[in-house]
Amino acid sequence: MEQESKKNELIGHAQIFYSGFKECMELKYLKNSPQSIIDGAKRIMNVVVNREIEVLETYIATLGNISSISPYIGLLGTVWGIMNIFYKINDYTNFTIQSIAPDVSDALSTTAMSLFVAIPALISFNKLSVKSNMIAQNYLNFSEECASILYRKIFFKQD
């Protein structure tokens, strides 16, 4: 029971190694052929790698959505504000730039605020996407290295 709780605490490389090694030992205990032991360990490590990548990429899509949608929300606010200005102009018989300047400022500030949200979200999205891809590739390389080591231990060191 304690071993199972510790297994659930593992992440990344430790989880990949643990799962592959555990599968290898179980298949070896069940007297499977050396090739089926290697194949089983590779399969379970691939599953764990895919789960780890899924965890890494959980919220990256949200940043992408925020960075792509927020300028449109700002544009909508600007258009809405400009339309309200035109309605006010229509109601006034005698208007000046001072009477509509605050409304123009409000309309344009929605665009500025949306860009204030979109730009950092886009930068974060790009940085995290690159970092996530690097980590994912590292996990894949690690699982292949583990499989290679298992292969050498099983096939070339018959104890």
Side-chain angles (χ1 to χ4, degrees), residues 1-156:
M1 190 66 147
E2 184 179 323
Q3 181 184 11
E4 193 63 31
S5 70
K6 286 190 189 274
K7 177 219 167 233
N8 291 334
E9 293 174 10
L10 298 176
I11 59 170
H13 294 94
Q15 181 63 36
I16 295 165
F17 175 78
Y18 176 82
S19 299
F21 187 76
K22 181 181 172 201
E23 185 72 8
C24 181
M25 291 298 108
E26 287 177 7
L27 293 173
K28 194 173 183 179
Y29 176 77
L30 295 172
K31 307 282 190 223
N32 283 289
S33 71
Q35 189 59 50
S36 64
I37 293 171
I38 298 297
D39 292 343
K42 282 176 88 169
R43 272 193 309 274
I44 197 71
M45 284 190 291
N46 284 337
V47 168
V48 173
V49 164
N50 289 333
R51 285 185 186 149
E52 292 295 318
I53 291 170
E54 186 178 324
V55 168
L56 273 176
E57 296 176 346
T58 301
Y59 299 106
I60 293 176
T62 303
L63 280 174
N65 288 335
I66 290 170
S67 68
S68 64
I69 291 171
S70 59
Y72 294 112
I73 293 171
L75 180 62
L76 176 65
T78 301
V79 169
W80 193 284
I82 298 296
M83 285 179 9
N84 284 335
I85 291 168
F86 285 131
Y87 289 131
K88 282 185 176 182
I89 290 172
N90 191 31
D91 291 342
Y92 290 131
T93 55
N94 187 357
F95 78 94
T96 64
I97 194 69
Q98 288 82 13
S99 64
I100 62 167
D103 295 328
V104 171
S105 176
D106 288 344
L108 293 176
S109 68
T110 60
T111 300
M113 290 306 290
S114 70
L115 292 175
F116 183 72
V117 169
I119 292 169
L122 182 61
I123 291 169
S124 299
F125 172 77
N126 288 335
K127 280 186 145 188
L128 290 174
S129 292
V130 168
K131 187 70 172 172
S132 172
N133 289 338
M134 288 172 56
I135 292 170
Q137 189 59 50
N138 191 290
Y139 285 165
L140 291 169
N141 291 341
F142 181 76
S143 71
E144 285 299 317
E145 284 179 44
C146 287
S148 241
I149 291 167
L150 288 174
Y151 182 86
R152 283 194 306 271
K153 291 290 184 190
I154 290 174
F155 280 105
F156 295 116

